[in-house]
Amino acid sequence: MADDSGIRYFPCRVTRSQSRQSSQQSNQLISQPSDSSQPSSQSSQLFSLSSQLTLQPTREKRLHLSSAAINSAGEKLLSFQKAREVGKEVKEEEEEGYTGSREIVIKENVSLEKYLQYRENNAIPSVRMYLHNGNIIIYEVPSFVHGVTAGRILVLMGGWNNWDFAYGTEATMILGPNTAKESDFWVRPRHLPDPPIGSGLGADRNDKAYPTMMIEVGFSQSLLDLHRKTVLYFSPRTTIQIVLAIKIFGVRTDPNTNTSTIALIAALYLRTSATPLIPTSVISFGTADPDANTVNCIINQMGVPPGSFTGVGRPDPNNNNNNFPPCNAPNLPDYQMNIPGPELYNGVPVHRLPPGFAAGFNLDLWDIRNEIEVELRI
């Protein structure tokens, strides 16, 4: 029930000792000699005792996540980040081109409100998690290579334009009725107006404007797990326009030559595309060709037209179908991924748009590849 103030009250749970104590107090009151001059005093004490037993407010149980479950999920995901010797047999889920899901559900039937409260009060640096349709899912283990990849993109974009955009990391955003997630890195125009406070249309409970661009870096995640995040970011609730996904595969080590190589994939998604859940551009930019399973996944499962999948290990139709040149130097035209300006500046008032904004930003994938190689000591 509730009083006039709106505070909810529930019958309290009385322990055996509390019950014995209150019984003794009641017996003492009842056994006292009757005195017609003091009936109101005894009645008041009885009413006060009864009120204490029946009108004590109780707090809702807080969301709790087992540290054992979190650690177990993290250890499992770490197994996907290990270097592989060329030719060595591994489990199917540990294969480079594995196309199933590696995500791990650790809690079900969780409300959005409880999840947001939990994330506000609990920092868990050991894993990445998100809420989707009431399920809390662990999907990635942060690492140095994971961090420097997202960080390098931040540095490059900030060097390009540090006055029109704010750049940030690790903000938990509401993406749907019972879905919330934090990206690795986000970009938001400084002059983008926030929704009205209290409208419930913003990225968080304070109704901050959504970023226009999200960046996801996957190391533990399978390529398809990374790909499926786009449907969350492009949900009807959000105004996010761009998703850039970077997939880092495991290091391949040849025991005969003692050399290491790595396959890397960049995929760009645009909400304005006729098919927003299919990348408009996928570029292979590592030192190794993507394996056959990865190529099949990108073309047949992700639905990318072969002509939109370019780069290392891919045939170039403009060069007699010879493979594209290696990504081994800065400023190579084949390894520039354009982040379009109209989508980056989406929602910014016209008078705030700078000259030439539509040209957007060219991300040099060689710079990203170089950062990853240095971190992995390849």
Side-chain angles (χ1 to χ4, degrees):
M1 60 181 171
D3 64 10
D4 292 338
S5 68
I7 299 175
R8 298 186 67 196
Y9 290 89
F10 304 89
C12 71
R13 296 175 179 175
V14 183
T15 66
R16 183 176 299 176
S17 60
Q18 288 174 323
S19 178
R20 185 182 299 114
Q21 180 182 5
S22 58
S23 176
Q24 292 171 351
Q25 291 174 348
S26 298
N27 290 336
Q28 290 173 8
L29 289 171
I30 294 170
S31 63
Q32 288 178 0
S34 175
D35 186 342
S36 59
S37 66
Q38 296 179 340
S40 60
S41 175
Q42 291 180 355
S43 299
S44 297
Q45 292 180 55
L46 284 169
F47 178 77
S48 175
L49 177 61
S50 175
S51 298
Q52 291 173 22
L53 293 175
T54 59
L55 296 180
Q56 289 183 355
T58 60
R59 296 180 180 178
E60 280 192 45
K61 188 177 180 181
R62 289 187 176 183
L63 173 63
H64 171 73
L65 298 181
S66 163
S67 58
I70 293 173
N71 293 337
S72 176
E75 289 172 4
K76 181 65 174 176
L77 292 173
L78 279 173
S79 69
F80 306 132
Q81 298 183 1
K82 294 177 181 177
R84 306 292 178 214
E85 285 191 7
V86 175
K88 183 180 179 180
E89 290 188 10
V90 294
K91 297 177 182 178
E92 180 185 5
E93 63 181 3
E94 295 178 349
E95 290 178 354
E96 179 174 304
Y98 178 67
T99 58
S101 178
R102 290 172 174 164
E103 297 188 333
I104 302 168
V105 176
I106 62 166
K107 196 84 170 180
E108 298 177 337
N109 301 317
V110 178
S111 70
L112 177 64
E113 183 65 22
K114 280 195 172 184
Y115 181 76
L116 293 177
Q117 289 176 350
Y118 180 85
R119 296 302 288 152
E120 287 173 358
N121 297 315
N122 295 273
I124 304 179
S126 61
V127 296
R128 296 277 191 192
M129 66 175 63
Y130 71 106
L131 177 75
H132 183 44
N133 290 337
N135 295 327
I136 297 180
I137 303 168
I138 291 179
Y139 66 95
E140 185 71 73
V141 177
S143 61
F144 279 109
V145 68
H146 186 273
V148 299
T149 302
R152 189 60 184 167
I153 297 172
L154 182 152
V155 168
L156 293 172
M157 292 194 73
W160 162 70
N161 189 327
N162 197 35
W163 48 92
D164 287 330
F165 295 97
Y167 304 94
T169 62
E170 300 180 356
T172 301
M173 301 181 199
I174 302 170
L175 303 178
N178 212 14
T179 299
K181 188 181 181 303
E182 59 186 34
S183 69
D184 293 315
F185 170 46
W186 50 263
V187 183
R188 185 176 61 204
R190 295 187 186 278
H191 304 301
L192 184 65
D194 291 326
I197 295 177
S199 67
L201 299 175
D204 62 4
R205 291 189 289 188
N206 296 318
D207 285 313
K208 293 295 295 181
Y210 281 97
T212 53
M213 179 177 178
M214 308 292 270
I215 290 133
E216 284 288 327
V217 179
F219 195 11
S220 301
Q221 300 175 77
S222 71
L223 180 59
L224 270 187
D225 282 340
L226 193 61
H227 168 70
R228 293 186 185 110
K229 299 297 188 297
T230 303
V231 71
L232 306 182
Y233 288 133
F234 286 168
S235 77
R237 177 189 169 100
T238 81
T239 54
I240 298 164
Q241 300 293 304
I242 304 166
V243 175
L244 173 63
I246 304 291
K247 171 57 182 168
I248 304 170
F249 291 97
V251 176
R252 305 176 190 173
T253 301
D254 188 330
N256 297 319
T257 61
N258 198 31
T259 58
S260 297
T261 57
I262 191 168
L264 303 169
I265 295 290
L268 184 71
Y269 302 77
L270 302 177
R271 187 188 282 265
T272 53
S273 166
T275 53
L277 300 184
I278 297 176
T280 58
S281 174
V282 176
I283 301 177
S284 167
F285 65 103
T287 53
D289 296 353
D291 73 9
N293 288 334
T294 298
V295 172
N296 179 68
C297 175
I298 291 171
I299 294 175
N300 296 320
Q301 293 181 264
M302 293 167 56
V304 178
S308 298
F309 180 15
T310 62
V312 174
R314 297 294 298 154
D316 182 357
N318 298 316
N319 187 26
N320 298 317
N321 282 329
N322 293 317
N323 280 358
F324 280 87
C327 179
N328 57 4
N331 303 316
L332 295 174
D334 292 322
Y335 298 100
Q336 306 300 305
M337 180 161 271
N338 180 257
I339 313 299
E343 285 81 1
L344 268 177
Y345 284 89
N346 181 68
V348 174
V350 174
H351 70 280
R352 292 285 195 174
L353 296 173
F357 79 95
F361 168 67
N362 284 329
L363 176 65
D364 191 340
L365 294 176
W366 174 85
D367 200 316
I368 307 304
R369 193 211 82 174
N370 187 60
E371 195 76 12
I372 292 170
E373 285 189 303
V374 169
E375 190 60 43
L376 293 176
R377 296 174 180 159
I378 297 177

